[in-house]
Amino acid sequence: MTIVSIERPDLVASPHSRLTSRFAGWVGFFLAAGLTAFFASKVPVVAAGETLRWTVDWVPTLGYQLSFYVDGLSLLFALLISGIGAFIFLYTPVYLSAYRHASRLVVVLILFMISMLGLVMADDMIALFVFWELTTITSYILIGFDHDNAKARRCALQALLVTGAGGLVMLAGFVLLGSAAGTFQLSELKAQGFHLAEHAAYLPILILILIGAFTKSAQIPFHFWLPNAMAAPTPISAYLHSATMVKGGVYLMARMHPVLGGTPEWAWILTIIGAATAVVASVLALRQTDLKLALAYTTVMALGTLTMFLGAEAGVAIAAAVTFLLVHALYKCALFLVVGIIDHGTGTRDAPRLGGLARAMPITTAAAAAAALSMAGFPPFLGFIGKELKYEGALAIASEPGLAITAAVAANAMMVAVAAIVGLRPFFARPVATPKVPHEAPFRMWIGPVTLAALGLFFGLVPPLVANGLVQPAVASVLGAPQVVKLALWHGINLPLLLSVVTLLLGVLVYVRHLQIRDSLAAFEARLPTDTDRVYDLSIDALKDLAAWQTRLIQSGVLRRYLFVVFAVVVLAVGGTLLMKDGLRLPQAWPDVPLPVWGMTALVLAGAVLTVLAKSRLLAICALGSVGFGVALIFLMYGAPDVAMTQLLVEILFVIIIAIVLLRLPRFGKRTAGLGASRWQDGVLAVGTGLVTTALMLAATRGPIDREITAYFEANSATEAYGRNIVNVILVDFRALDTLGEILVVAVAAFAVVGLVKLRQRRWRAS
Amino acid sequence: MRSLILSTAVHLLFGLMILFSLFLLLRGHNLPGGGFVGGLVAAIAFTLFAIADSAAAVRRVLRIDPRYLVVAGLAVALLSGLFKAAAGMPYLTGAWVHPGGLPLGTPLLFDVGVYLTVVGSVLTLVLTMEEER
Amino acid sequence: METVLAILVGSLVAATVFLMLSRNIVKFLFGLVLLGNAANLLIFAAGRLTYARPGLIPDGAAAPLGDVANALPQAMVLTAIVIGFGLTAFAFALVYRAYQELGTTDTDEMRVAEPPLDASQLDTPAQDRRAA
């Protein structure tokens, strides 16, 4: 989104909306800062090897608990989420101060932060899934903040569909895992160790859960949604799409490492997918001119690297992953925020249109340079330590060290070039005229990048601080065993250092030639037959076509077809059940029935037949009346005078109302006779339904009946309820609550008719 | 459509039918009858009146909109259950008094509620349709 | 005795199905009325039939003398009849209003909620939208 041009006046902030968004921003800031302080205070405890836990019963009958626990891994993530969140809450209201609905965004951002914290602290897999989808949903709203823009809407929906579908697949994996292991608690799963590797369902579990992780963390072939998610406002991208949400998949893989890891399948899938993602994304990053998109692709590259290292068993590879996670969060978030400042201050973030900003934005320049140097891996920044460790870790990857080393060097060289393009070139290149006169950002916007970049330098200078407090406990959680991690700037002259030098040289070379490389990449991209984004579109279109097709098939909109299906199902299901369960009970003898009953039965039958055959409305009404009349007399003969009276009276009213209505409806036309063939089918179905009903009723009335309830009513009607008409006593005393409900239904029907008829009259009069 | 015979007969029969409906309502607890049956008889009386004369004439005789009868009937039925409920018994438990050996109880009140609801609902239906031209 | 009612109910249901499958909505309503009668008879017969002995308690007695008709299904059927009346009256009013609005009583032509689809009404493909 562009922050400068607002065409819709109703979206421009009023003084009031500005105030509410600032207020929401401060609420978020203090919440995040408080949480950061809380988590920071727990660092020594967790570093000592303890885990914190809180438990609330959630669905006790199913054994689900809402339990949270914090070990080294969770604590590292929680600190990143709340700490970076605090700066985002300072930054966002200023960045979006021109927008009326900025406060909404901030509120959703608070929800997101809480969901993300729940995700990394949940002990129960079901709870983890719920928080996982909550981050998906909140990110959908955040990406689609500029909802007047069709592109933003599409990108938001794409992120929702890709990560949401992945989440569902992951849930299936969780359920399988939970039933295979007998527990849904991650902490208990971890304690069980490697027994799962021999389980028959191991591979399905692994693949299902990894699909969830890969969609969330934008691994190939699901990577396309992340660059598209850059439709979000820049601070949102900085928070969700670099530092926190996209790391959710990485977190899951790290969490599952002790449970599912250590097998060849795990190692191969993660190494290959991770390496491929890292290399492809770093090439695509060079292709972009939009600074934000370039950063987005380097994020995909970083996620690929993390995945690749998590495939390994060696402690040093895991240490490399955890350290790089921290390094990346610090510099990438800082650079995103810097790009936001550039966009805000100059009106563009297109690389060719930027240059010479160092003079106008000295503070931002310092932050950007520090972050870029950390990203490029220069000493004495934490990025250098991270890169050295990566090479050491890549060498230790057992399955395929050659692949890992090549991927790491290639990706890192591209990172050097992108760091220069994003973090240095806009500030130090030849000045270019920008849409707005560049100016320095206000304090609340630069404090975030400055602090994050400074932390990258500070941690690089005092590596034991991070090593002991954050990295070592996190590595221990991932490996499931204590692990000593030593971070240092200087390891002596060894292979990793040599590789670092090669990387820097390569990176500088790529930077010098990056304009030509970008052009040839663009030309190459134009010749590609398709890309995953287009495949996504095609599959969405195919899904919609399928939906339209099955809707046309099932929802024909023709009442007769619906009813035909319903009655046919009744015949098949009920009739089939009766046949299979041996429920057919045919009468053994000619029924012994008094003569008047035969008469009434004949009357009802004749009425029914006449109703079907009647060509005139009046005849049909008379026939219907005779059916009701005959049924009433049957009630009367079998000892139900109350029912019979009610039926007779209702029959009278029926005829009156039907007559009133029918006189205003057209006569039965010729068409009602229908098409010969279809009515023949209707007739067969009608006879079939009738036969099934008769069979069902014969079966139901054949067995003994339990008259216990009636016996109670008969015994207590006179003595307890002072009534000698048992039916009436049931209605007004024993089962009065039922009757109350029934007269309520009658009343509702009456009022509904008034609504139908009278409200329209009012509408007509109004128009 | 006016028919002299029908209109004359209905005017004679109308009061009788209303009386008969009350009779059915009151005897319902011991003999066939009750709120539903009584209410339907009264509703038919009014409906015949509407056909013989006019819907407007029925509204004049009734004086109040039949919808108020529905509300009143539901209210009476609802309230009749509260007597014993106030004493901690289940809702709609019958409460009885025996002045002079004649049992009078809230179930009778409940039946009156049913009667009013049925009369009101049917009349609302019929009059709404009848007035719809 | 239940056998006769079983056959009768089956016949009423057969007539109902045939009427409901008609294209004329008024015939459908006639089917609805018949179905109500059939259902009431079914419930009534499910409580077993007792000829000519209503569930009344004679004056002075504490309980009915001998076997009388089952009062429980009678109470159910009684309210079902009144509710059925309300429902049918509403259905008739609905059909009447539908005829006023749509000018037809042919269910095949009542397609406001689910109009027949043709290709032009389908949403534009996502690929075109992406360009926006």
Side-chain angles (χ1 to χ4, degrees):
Chain A
M1 65 186 287
T2 5
I3 203 76
V4 276
S5 65
I6 301 178
E7 283 132 22
R8 294 268 307 272
D10 54 317
L11 292 180
V12 179
S14 63
H16 174 255
S17 71
R18 224 168 269 222
L19 211 64
T20 52
S21 74
R22 286 212 173 180
F23 175 73
W26 284 116
V27 170
F29 170 75
F30 283 113
L31 182 66
L35 284 168
T36 313
F38 171 74
F39 289 125
S41 74
K42 298 294 177 195
V43 167
V45 188
V46 174
E50 269 188 64
T51 55
L52 316 167
R53 46 170 51 255
W54 303 272
T55 303
V56 187
D57 269 346
W58 188 15
V59 189
T61 45
L62 290 178
Y64 293 152
Q65 287 179 324
L66 197 57
S67 48
F68 298 101
Y69 87 140
V70 177
D71 61 358
L73 186 65
S74 300
L75 191 66
L76 174 63
F77 271 95
L79 270 173
L80 284 176
I81 294 160
S82 54
I84 292 179
F87 293 118
I88 300 290
F89 284 118
L90 282 180
Y91 186 103
T92 310
V94 185
Y95 182 79
L96 291 176
S97 60
Y99 278 81
R100 175 179 286 266
H101 297 311
S103 54
R104 285 186 200 168
L105 186 95
V106 176
V107 170
V108 178
L109 208 52
I110 294 175
L111 284 179
F112 168 79
M113 181 177 75
I114 294 167
S115 321
M116 197 64 212
L117 284 172
L119 166 58
V120 297
M121 284 158 54
D123 189 12
D124 190 287
M125 285 194 287
I126 304 297
L128 191 151
F129 166 76
V130 170
F131 286 117
W132 180 282
E133 295 295 39
L134 274 177
T135 64
T136 301
I137 293 164
T138 42
S139 87
Y140 167 69
I141 302 171
L142 292 171
I143 298 170
F145 171 67
D146 187 17
H147 54 75
D148 279 334
N149 182 342
K151 188 164 177 292
R153 288 200 305 271
R154 173 188 181 267
C155 295
L157 187 64
Q158 186 183 54
L160 178 74
L161 289 180
V162 173
T163 56
L168 286 178
V169 173
M170 179 187 78
L171 178 64
F174 281 173
V175 172
L176 267 182
L177 176 56
S179 46
T183 177
F184 280 90
Q185 305 295 309
L186 287 166
S187 48
E188 285 174 30
L189 277 173
K190 196 166 131 186
Q192 286 190 355
F194 285 112
H195 308 309
L196 273 168
E198 282 91 51
H199 198 281
Y202 172 76
L203 201 59
I205 292 173
L206 180 69
I207 290 172
L208 290 173
I209 291 182
L210 283 183
I211 286 178
F214 287 172
T215 50
K216 196 78 160 179
S217 283
Q219 300 297 299
I220 281 180
F222 308 114
H223 62 286
F224 54 89
W225 73 264
L226 183 54
N228 284 339
M230 295 301 125
T234 303
I236 303 304
S237 301
Y239 193 36
L240 271 69
H241 305 123
S242 76
T244 58
M245 190 186 81
V246 292
K247 300 269 174 68
V250 172
Y251 169 80
L252 182 69
M253 287 185 273
R255 201 30 103 210
M256 288 294 163
H257 192 276
V259 183
L260 298 172
T263 61
E265 294 92 335
W266 170 277
W268 278 107
I269 296 176
L270 263 63
T271 310
I272 291 175
I273 297 280
T277 306
V279 174
V280 171
S282 57
V283 174
L284 285 172
L286 270 186
R287 152 82 186 85
Q288 310 303 324
T289 59
D290 182 342
L291 296 180
K292 201 175 158 188
L293 268 185
L295 283 180
Y297 277 107
T298 60
T299 305
V300 177
M301 172 259 148
L303 295 169
T305 311
L306 289 169
T307 304
M308 182 173 87
F309 282 111
L310 284 173
E313 271 311 289
V316 62
I318 303 300
V322 172
T323 312
F324 181 52
L325 179 91
L326 178 64
V327 174
H328 174 257
L330 292 178
Y331 76 68
K332 186 56 64 64
C333 188
L335 285 177
F336 261 113
L337 294 178
V338 163
V339 168
I341 290 175
I342 294 176
D343 199 359
H344 196 253
T346 67
T348 183
R349 46 173 209 245
D350 197 29
R353 297 164 72 194
L354 290 166
L357 299 177
R359 190 182 297 272
M361 306 177 161
I363 305 172
T364 309
T365 307
L373 289 176
S374 188
M375 177 174 176
F378 275 93
F381 290 90
L382 189 59
F384 174 72
I385 299 176
K387 190 179 55 170
E388 297 278 286
L389 206 53
K390 273 200 275 184
Y391 290 151
E392 214 180 309
L395 288 169
I397 287 180
S399 55
E400 197 52 65
L403 173 72
I405 280 288
T406 316
V409 171
N412 271 320
M414 305 290 184
M415 279 232 288
V416 173
V418 174
I421 295 170
V422 176
L424 303 176
R425 196 177 169 279
F427 300 97
F428 301 110
R430 198 165 41 80
V432 189
T434 50
K436 282 206 288 190
V437 180
H439 59 88
E440 183 57 277
F443 166 77
R444 291 208 279 156
M445 282 177 77
W446 62 249
I447 181 67
V450 165
T451 312
L452 294 171
L455 275 177
L457 178 61
F458 174 70
F459 286 153
L461 291 172
V462 202
L465 205 63
V466 232
N468 299 334
L470 294 173
V471 177
Q472 194 169 299
V475 172
S477 315
V478 178
L479 286 175
Q483 175 79 20
V484 179
V485 177
K486 291 239 177 298
L487 300 184
L489 279 171
W490 181 248
H491 287 277
I493 298 177
N494 53 9
L495 192 54
L497 187 67
L498 211 65
L499 289 170
S500 278
V501 176
V502 173
T503 311
L504 278 182
L505 290 175
L506 263 177
V508 172
L509 194 69
V510 170
Y511 173 70
V512 171
R513 314 274 303 171
H514 82 271
L515 292 176
Q516 288 95 316
I517 297 176
R518 180 186 294 161
D519 290 344
S520 50
L521 278 175
F524 177 68
E525 194 185 66
R527 281 209 307 275
L528 279 180
T530 186
D531 60 26
T532 38
D533 202 19
R534 222 163 289 150
V535 172
Y536 162 84
D537 279 340
L538 289 176
S539 33
I540 291 294
D541 283 345
L543 192 66
K544 284 170 72 178
D545 287 346
L546 179 73
W549 173 79
Q550 67 97 21
T551 307
R552 273 197 301 276
L553 188 74
I554 301 171
Q555 306 280 330
S556 62
V558 178
L559 182 65
R560 291 180 298 136
R561 286 190 207 148
Y562 294 150
L563 287 172
F564 197 92
V565 172
V566 169
F567 288 128
V569 169
V570 167
V571 170
L572 292 179
V574 179
T577 311
L578 280 174
L579 279 178
M580 277 190 293
K581 302 275 177 186
D582 196 23
L584 284 184
R585 294 282 178 279
L586 294 178
Q588 299 301 316
W590 186 247
D592 171 32
V593 175
L595 195 62
V597 177
W598 281 119
M600 286 310 113
T601 307
L603 178 65
V604 173
L605 274 179
V609 171
L610 205 56
T611 314
V612 172
L613 297 179
K615 291 273 190 290
S616 90
R617 296 171 299 174
L618 210 57
L619 186 59
I621 296 175
C622 292
L624 265 188
S626 75
V627 170
F629 185 68
V631 170
L633 289 181
I634 291 176
F635 287 141
L636 187 63
M637 288 174 201
Y638 283 108
D642 291 273
V643 183
M645 282 161 79
T646 312
Q647 169 85 14
L648 273 177
L649 295 167
V650 160
E651 216 52 51
I652 294 169
L653 281 169
F654 254 146
V655 172
I656 291 172
I657 287 204
I658 293 175
I660 292 176
V661 174
L662 274 197
L663 287 177
R664 294 168 198 166
L665 293 178
R667 295 165 187 283
F668 289 168
K670 278 225 174 75
R671 254 197 311 204
T672 55
L675 313 159
S678 73
R679 290 310 272 166
W680 179 78
Q681 289 172 359
D682 293 350
V684 171
L685 183 62
V687 171
T689 318
L691 284 176
V692 166
T693 313
T694 302
L696 183 68
M697 216 172 135
L698 285 174
T701 51
R702 195 46 50 101
I705 185 170
D706 183 359
R707 281 183 57 146
E708 188 193 341
I709 300 172
T710 307
Y712 171 83
F713 292 149
E714 286 173 352
N716 292 296
S717 184
T719 49
E720 295 264 318
Y722 308 105
R724 288 183 282 109
N725 180 358
I726 302 172
V727 174
N728 186 263
V729 173
I730 293 175
L731 284 174
V732 299
D733 199 334
F734 291 134
R735 308 293 309 161
L737 195 61
D738 296 352
T739 312
L740 193 61
E742 283 145 6
I743 55 175
L744 200 62
V745 172
V746 175
V748 168
F751 283 113
V753 169
V754 175
L756 261 180
V757 175
K758 288 264 166 83
L759 288 185
R760 182 220 27 164
Q761 290 174 338
R762 208 169 296 161
R763 201 186 66 208
W764 276 5
R765 265 178 225 136
S767 63
Chain B
M1 174 185 72
R2 285 289 189 89
S3 147
L4 188 62
I5 300 173
L6 181 67
S7 131
T8 312
V10 165
H11 275 97
L12 287 171
L13 281 173
F14 178 70
L16 218 53
M17 285 177 80
I18 297 293
L19 262 181
F20 181 57
S21 77
L22 291 173
F23 165 72
L24 280 173
L25 164 68
L26 292 177
R27 75 168 208 159
H29 216 50
N30 292 321
L31 291 163
F36 280 110
V37 176
L40 287 169
V41 169
I44 288 173
F46 280 108
T47 306
L48 282 177
F49 200 94
I51 292 173
D53 202 323
S54 71
V58 173
R59 287 196 187 274
R60 270 200 307 279
V61 171
L62 261 180
R63 291 204 178 80
I64 57 169
D65 191 308
R67 280 180 278 180
Y68 291 118
L69 288 181
V70 179
V71 176
L74 286 175
V76 168
L78 276 170
L79 292 176
S80 76
L82 288 177
F83 284 84
K84 279 280 178 166
M89 304 281 283
Y91 179 61
L92 283 169
T93 307
W96 294 88
V97 287
H98 300 268
L102 182 71
L104 288 176
T106 54
L108 186 65
L109 206 57
F110 184 86
D111 225 6
V112 172
V114 172
Y115 176 93
L116 288 174
T117 311
V118 170
V119 176
S121 299
V122 173
L123 278 185
T124 305
L125 281 170
V126 171
L127 292 185
T128 306
M129 294 307 298
E130 181 67 23
E131 286 163 356
E132 167 69 11
R133 297 274 177 207
Chain C
M1 279 182 261
E2 286 84 3
T3 310
V4 177
L5 281 197
I7 295 166
L8 186 60
V9 168
S11 314
L12 285 177
V13 168
T16 298
V17 171
F18 193 77
L19 284 168
M20 281 188 165
L21 291 174
S22 156
R23 283 171 63 168
N24 191 320
I25 192 99
V26 177
K27 292 214 167 186
F28 175 92
L29 289 180
F30 289 168
L32 199 65
V33 176
L34 284 186
L35 190 64
N37 278 315
N40 290 340
L41 276 180
L42 194 150
I43 296 170
F44 186 64
R48 303 300 188 276
L49 302 173
T50 310
Y51 191 71
R53 294 181 70 88
L56 297 172
I57 302 170
D59 238 347
L65 306 173
D67 284 341
V68 294
N70 194 345
L72 185 60
Q74 290 188 20
M76 290 177 182
V77 170
L78 199 153
T79 48
I81 291 170
V82 180
I83 289 183
F85 168 70
L87 175 78
T88 316
F90 176 75
F92 270 92
L94 194 63
V95 164
Y96 167 65
R97 288 285 297 118
Y99 174 65
Q100 281 188 325
E101 293 287 329
L102 306 172
T104 180
T105 54
D106 183 348
T107 55
D108 284 16
E109 289 168 19
M110 295 182 166
R111 300 292 295 271
V112 177
E114 292 166 312
L117 272 183
D118 55 52
S120 65
Q121 285 170 310
L122 286 174
D123 206 353
T124 47
Q127 267 176 296
D128 301 346
R129 255 192 341 272
R130 187 162 62 143

